[in-house]
Amino acid sequence: MNPSATRTKFARVGETVARLRQDLPHATALIGFCGAPWTVATYMVGGQGSPDQREARLWAYRDRAGFGRLIDILVEASIDYLSLQVEAGADVLQIFDTWAGSLPPREFEAWVVAPTRRIVTALRAEHPDVPIIGFPRGAGQKIEGYVAETGVRGVSCDTGMDVASMSALAGARNVVVQGNLDPIALVAGGEELERQVEALLRGLAGVPHIFNLGHGILPETPVEHVKRLVELVRDYGTT
């Protein structure tokens, strides 16, 4: 792919990042991101989201070389897209692989780990001081290998990963863990939200941890619950 074509296509993203960086306090980190090649490919091939990413998986099984060429294009576009964001002012980068968990081990290595490793390696050569966080949602027991083989400095953990495993992963791989509050608990609010927040923060005390949800915030989330969440995390940090 011609890098200039990618830059032209996403020029407005770069402009948005630059404006945010200018307006945000210096101490507030700005995170740039992209969808990982496998996850983006599932939408491209299927034409929309699906519960099992069937069309992309079928193509990968039936025509490994052809599907690999699509992944190669997405890897190069992702490198250029993320580099653009760093140049515009992003302090940290995150690679979202929402559908990583749908793949068995061999395919996970081919379409999740290997492409992510290529992106991380290229970005580290261009921007060695910018931390990169990976999010292989649903990776389960494969997450430690993902961290070891891709070279990410941080890893987002989905709601299926228990706190003890997050803590062990941080220690074993010298990696920052991010997550993993259940987004539905945030919708529910009340005592259950408070219980889950406290359990997460206590369980990861002393571990390099970025507090976050286990996946994206849901559209129906009440604003007052988000405000309460911010209060809980802030108050815990001062006690």
Side-chain angles (χ1 to χ4, degrees), residues 168-203:
L169 176 64
R173 290 297 174 184
N174 190 29
V175 68
V176 177
V177 290
Q178 183 181 35
N180 64 341
L181 182 73
D182 187 350
I184 295 179
L186 182 57
V187 175
E191 292 183 2
E192 181 59 23
L193 173 63
E194 296 185 10
R195 186 196 69 78
Q196 289 199 25
V197 169
E198 182 175 3
L200 182 59
L201 292 172
R202 288 192 182 280

Side-chain angles (χ1 to χ4, degrees), residues 131-159:
I132 302 173
I133 302 168
F135 183 25
R137 185 186 183 199
Q141 63 183 5
K142 299 189 290 292
I143 195 168
E144 187 169 350
Y146 171 93
V147 171
E149 294 178 40
T150 61
V152 294
R153 291 176 57 185
V155 62
S156 293
C157 303
D158 58 51
T159 54

Side-chain angles (χ1 to χ4, degrees), residues 16 24 30 41 46 60 80 87 91 115 136 148 155 178 201 213 215 225:
T16 301
L24 285 173
L30 179 58
D80 203 49
E87 292 164 14
D91 303 293
V155 62
Q178 183 181 35
L201 292 172
L213 301 179
H215 200 251
H225 292 185

